[in-house]
Amino acid sequence: VSTQSTGNGKTYHQRKHFKSLNMLLLSHSDVNKLLSMPRCIELMEIALKSLSLGKVEQPLRAALRIPDQTNLYGSMPCAVSIDEKTTVFGSKLISVYLSNHGTQYPGHSGLVVLFEGQHGQPIAILEASSITQIRTAAASGLATKYLAPSDDKKPLVCGILGAGVQAESHIEAMISVRKIEKVLIWNRTFDKAEALAKQTQAKYKIQAIALKSVKEVVTQSDILCTVTASKQPIVEGKWIKPGTHINAVGACTPMGRELDSETVKKSKLFTDSKVSLFAEAGDFLIPKKEGTITEDHFKGEVGDLVTGKIQGRTSPNDITLFKSLGIAVEDVVCAYDIYTQAKKSNVGTEINNFFGAHSNL
C-alpha cells in the first residue's frame, strides 16, 4: 500500500496491484510428448553436475504419515541455478498409497509445482509420475554412461530384476547409452516378466528372455538394474561377475535393500546425492551398521564423475554400483525443460490470471 498526499493536509492509501503470471498445466500425455529418454539423460547430467558444484539447495525429502498409518504424503523441494541467468525452484508433492493395491487407483500420484526465480512466481503444475518414471531411469542411464563397460566391439547383456514401469524405462535407458545385445528379465510373477520380454523384443528388435531365477539373470549380466519393491536382499555378491555395473533403484528407505552386504562390499559405490545416501539408503546403511563396510566405501556422486572431480571405473574387472535415491533437483530440472518446450510448442493448458490480481497489503 502506498501513501499519497492530496495537497490539503489529508492523505489517502492506494493499493498497488501486481502482475499475475499465467499458469501452465501439463498432463501425463503432455510430459511424455515433450520428455524423451535421450533428452532426459542430458538433463540428469545438468542436474547432478549442478548438485555437485553446489548450485542446488535441496533438503532431504519430507514424509507425512496419513492417520490410517499405511499411506504417506511426501514433499521434495529444491532450488537450482540452471545457468548464469536462470534460477528455478519448486517441489514434487506425492502420495504413496499402498492401500490402493488391487484397486483401480495407482499407488503413487502427484504433482510437480514449478516457480520462476526472478520474481518468485509459480508458472507451471506438471503431472509427477510421468516425470518420475523417465527421470529415474535416465539417472541410471547417466550413471551407466560413466561407469559401465564401454567396449563398443562387445555388445552387452542387460539384466533387469522387476517388471513394472521402472523395468520398462530402464531397458530404454540402458539401450540409449550402451550397445545391448540381450535383455534378461526376472520378476516374482513370471507372466509379467514374459510379457515385458515380448514387448522389449518387439520394440527394440533385440533378444529378450524371461528367466525364473534371480541367479540366472545376475550371473550373465554385464549391466544389472534392480527395480523391485523387495525389502530384503535378492542379489548375492557371489553371483556378480567381474566387470559388472549395477544400478540399484528399488529400495529407498534405511530399512530396505535389494543387495546383500557382500555385493556392496565388492563394488565401487556411487550415488546421486551423498546426503540422501547417508540418510535413506538401506543398501549402504545396513552393511555399514554391520561393519562390513565403512563410510569411506562411498566413492562419490555421479555429478563428480560428470565434472571429472573423481574417477569411476579404473579396471575392466571393477564392479561398479550406482545407488539411486531419486532427488528433487532431477524433477525440477526436468519440469523446467518441459515447461520451456511446452511454451514454444503450445502444449498444455494455460490458465490466464490464475491467481487473480495480486496486491501487497
Side-chain angles (χ1 to χ4, degrees), residues 26-288:
L26 293 159
S27 68
H28 182 94
S29 62
D30 294 332
V31 171
N32 285 329
K33 185 185 299 182
L34 296 172
L35 185 62
S36 69
M37 184 61 70
R39 176 55 180 163
C40 196
I41 292 171
E42 292 174 356
L43 293 174
M44 292 304 96
E45 191 151 2
I46 293 169
L48 297 184
K49 179 180 179 180
S50 297
L51 178 67
S52 292
L53 289 176
K55 296 181 178 180
V56 175
E57 290 290 335
Q58 176 182 263
L60 287 168
R61 74 188 94 207
L64 173 70
R65 189 168 293 280
I66 307 301
D68 60 19
Q69 296 299 307
T70 60
N71 302 311
L72 296 172
Y73 167 69
S75 174
M76 297 169 61
C78 164
V80 54
S81 296
I82 302 289
D83 54 42
E84 293 182 357
K85 297 181 179 179
T86 308
T87 296
V88 294
F89 62 95
S91 186
K92 180 161 76 173
L93 309 173
I94 189 165
S95 67
V96 181
Y97 260 63
L98 301 179
S99 61
N100 283 347
H101 182 70
T103 74
Q104 61 181 322
Y105 297 100
H108 295 71
S109 301
L111 306 167
V112 177
V113 182
L114 183 67
F115 293 71
E116 54 83 31
Q118 185 176 6
H119 302 292
Q121 298 301 296
I123 53 176
I125 297 174
L126 304 89
E127 195 275 329
S129 64
S130 48
I131 295 176
T132 303
Q133 180 180 342
I134 301 169
R135 67 80 160 148
T136 302
S140 294
L142 179 64
T144 302
K145 173 183 172 181
Y146 280 92
L147 294 171
S150 57
D151 185 356
D152 292 336
K153 296 179 181 178
K154 181 194 172 190
L156 303 175
V157 175
C158 176
I160 302 288
L161 304 181
V165 293
Q166 278 304 325
E168 183 179 344
S169 293
H170 271 75
I171 291 170
E172 182 179 5
M174 298 306 105
I175 289 172
S176 296
V177 297
R178 284 295 185 271
K179 187 176 181 180
I180 305 296
E181 69 171 353
K182 184 191 300 182
V183 177
L184 306 176
I185 304 168
W186 170 88
N187 193 65
R188 292 189 192 279
T189 305
F190 185 67
D191 289 351
K192 291 184 178 179
E194 282 191 311
L196 181 57
K198 290 178 182 177
Q199 176 184 317
T200 300
Q201 195 155 308
K203 183 175 182 179
Y204 299 107
K205 310 304 179 188
I206 60 174
Q207 189 176 10
I209 304 169
L211 298 175
K212 292 190 175 182
S213 80
V214 173
K215 182 179 179 181
E216 282 184 278
V217 173
V218 174
T219 55
Q220 299 179 63
S221 295
D222 300 299
I223 298 171
L224 178 67
C225 302
T226 64
V227 286
T228 75
S230 179
K231 299 294 188 290
Q232 301 299 323
I234 58 172
V235 175
E236 297 185 25
K238 62 186 178 183
W239 299 337
I240 308 290
K241 67 180 183 179
T244 301
H245 171 66
I246 305 165
N247 297 306
V249 180
C252 58
T253 68
M255 297 78 68
R257 56 176 176 162
E258 298 175 293
L259 313 177
D260 73 355
S261 297
E262 182 64 21
T263 301
V264 180
K265 182 181 179 181
K266 293 172 67 172
S267 305
K268 298 177 74 171
L269 173 63
F270 302 85
T271 191
D272 41 15
S273 164
K274 179 181 178 179
V275 173
S276 297
L277 180 79
F278 277 72
E280 300 174 345
D283 284 300
F284 169 69
L285 295 172
I286 294 171
K288 184 167 78 74

